[in-house]
Amino acid sequence: MIITDIKQIDRIAEETFGNTKGIISVDMKDYAFIKKQSSSLKAIKLDISEITKRTLTVLDDALNKICMHNECNLIMYINAGGNVITVEQMELIHISIETNVPENSNIVWGMGENINDSDGFTILIIVGVCK
């Protein structure tokens, strides 16, 4: 799902940073920097139980749509709930991002445990194109 409303994007960022105990941290400073540099910040939100070919097709389509004009400033929030995502599946997400965002993008990855769901974890990815 692509989100363009900045209030919804702010809410996703605040909820994610407030409810995730970071394994690899992304914080509000990273988000604020991308937001400040962007004239059109967007978000991709995925609630998934596993990464399938369909999930990757949806992700590729969303990234392609957002990044087609080389202004690719976005946050991507992936909520895996209590489901396991393998290293191989994470690599497929990484390949999708690397394939669809401009070469001059800064990509910040964060991964953490969802404190509201003891079995859950979230992935937050911030992409910003340097001007």
Side-chain angles (χ1 to χ4, degrees), residues 23-75:
I23 297 167
I24 302 169
S25 290
V26 175
D27 61 23
M28 285 301 283
K29 287 185 274 182
D30 297 313
Y31 173 69
F33 177 79
I34 295 300
K35 184 177 173 182
K36 182 180 177 184
Q37 302 298 316
S38 176
S39 61
S40 61
L41 183 66
K42 295 176 180 65
I44 297 173
K45 184 176 181 185
L46 298 173
D47 291 304
I48 57 174
S49 57
E50 64 180 329
I51 297 174
T52 63
K53 286 185 179 185
R54 172 80 180 121
T55 306
L56 293 171
T57 299
V58 168
L59 180 57
D60 282 342
D61 291 346
L63 286 168
N64 193 348
K65 184 175 182 178
I66 290 172
C67 299
M68 77 170 99
H69 299 295
N70 275 350
E71 181 162 323
C72 189
N73 295 305
L74 67 102
I75 65 169

